[in-house]
Amino acid sequence: MTDVIDKLNWRYATKKFDPAKTVSDEKLEHILEAIRLAPTSSGLQPFEVFVVTNPDLRAKIQAVGWNQGQITESSHLLVFAAWDDITADRVNMMFDLTNEQRGFINEGWEAYRKQLLGIVAARGQQANFDSAARQAYIALGVAMVAAAFEGVDATPMEGFDPAAVDQILSLKERKLRSVVMLPIGYRQPEGDWLVNLKKVRRSRPNLITEIA
Ligand SMILES: Cc1cc2nc3c(=O)[nH]c(=O)nc-3n(C[C@H](O)[C@H](O)[C@H](O)COP(=O)(O)O)c2cc1C
């Protein structure tokens, strides 16, 4: 098996973390850098990630997160929060950053900026948020693979009340909305009902169709 397949077989949605084990700063930074490098539509990176270690905040989030133990027992809780809208200011911020970092203004890129400004203005706030949320999920996927490569366990998590988490982390004020969370840490096999169960996936033919 290739390395990446081994890692994907190793990882699982951890149900019980060892609260005594902490992910090192180095490994955490690798996972966060993988998130930062994840591709997004038009390169907007329309989300932010909050690394929550504060015990009080995590207890509050657990209370609105189906009381899932991973929220408080993991080493770090990553909260992915999407832009609540893709505004002209936000589009311009990213296009200006591109020009600044590349050190030149490209005509084609500027034409695309205008086109994108038109698209996001026309489709409205909800569709923009939905699009931003999808981009956050791409970063979530990249983070999970990165964590597996670091030997760090992780649980993707949608089982929480996003509006309540937004309130706990004051996300509305920052024009963000929580969409998914990723507690990371180290598995505690005793007490984890999933750790020894077979990984269940649809068969290749059931999932993949080749059209030559
Ligand atoms: C977007 C998303 C949300 C999920 N939400 C939760 C959750 O709230 N709690 C949980 O324990 N597992 C959650 N899971 C884990 C899935 O149930 C799990 O990934 C799936 O059953 C496949 O199993 P595996 O990840 O162990 O291979 C979520 C997974 C994804 C991708």
Side-chain angles (χ1 to χ4, degrees):
M1 260 190 277
T2 64
D3 208 25
V4 69
I5 300 303
D6 280 341
K7 303 294 183 202
L8 288 173
N9 272 307
W10 173 82
R11 67 144 300 281
Y12 74 113
T14 306
K15 302 301 173 197
K16 179 91 181 139
F17 284 95
D18 184 341
K21 290 189 181 158
T22 305
V23 174
S24 70
D25 289 346
E26 194 192 6
K27 284 178 185 286
L28 174 66
E29 283 311 315
H30 287 165
I31 295 165
L32 297 177
E33 183 63 357
I35 290 170
R36 202 177 71 88
L37 289 171
T40 54
S41 178
S42 299
L44 290 179
Q45 297 183 278
F47 59 84
E48 293 185 27
V49 175
F50 294 82
V51 183
V52 187
T53 47
N54 180 290
D56 294 339
L57 287 177
R58 283 166 57 155
K60 284 184 184 158
I61 294 172
Q62 184 181 19
V64 297
W66 300 3
N67 203 30
Q68 298 190 75
Q70 302 102 313
I71 296 170
T72 48
E73 290 172 351
S74 56
S75 168
H76 299 76
L77 177 68
L78 275 49
V79 178
F80 292 72
W83 290 354
D84 64 354
D85 192 1
I86 301 180
T87 60
D89 278 353
R90 281 167 156 167
V91 171
N92 285 325
M93 177 274 291
M94 206 58 208
F95 276 68
D96 291 346
L97 179 67
T98 303
N99 289 343
E100 182 194 311
Q101 295 210 349
R102 290 190 175 149
F104 67 93
I105 295 175
N106 175 290
E107 234 178 70
W109 186 239
E110 288 306 314
Y112 183 56
R113 180 202 303 247
K114 282 203 189 75
Q115 192 187 341
L116 187 60
L117 285 169
I119 291 169
V120 299
R123 74 182 172 189
Q125 190 268 330
Q126 183 62 40
N128 283 331
F129 164 71
D130 291 342
S131 169
R134 287 194 294 273
Q135 312 315 308
Y137 277 83
I138 295 170
L140 171 81
V142 172
M144 285 191 285
V145 177
F149 268 83
E150 295 295 330
V152 170
D153 286 301
T155 317
M157 226 179 232
E158 274 182 334
F160 64 94
D161 175 351
V165 169
D166 294 355
Q167 202 164 17
I168 293 163
L169 297 179
S170 304
L171 297 182
K172 201 172 177 186
E173 292 84 330
R174 303 171 74 135
K175 299 187 181 304
L176 296 168
R177 290 168 64 182
S178 57
V179 289
V180 69
M181 306 197 293
L182 189 71
I184 61 170
Y186 293 98
R187 65 187 70 175
Q188 186 171 284
E190 320 79 57
D192 189 327
W193 60 266
L194 187 58
V195 65
N196 291 320
L197 294 188
K198 181 176 165 31
K199 193 177 275 299
V200 177
R201 292 294 190 270
R202 285 159 58 191
S203 68
R204 187 186 188 283
N206 193 245
L207 192 69
I208 294 169
T209 301
E210 281 155 45
I211 304 174

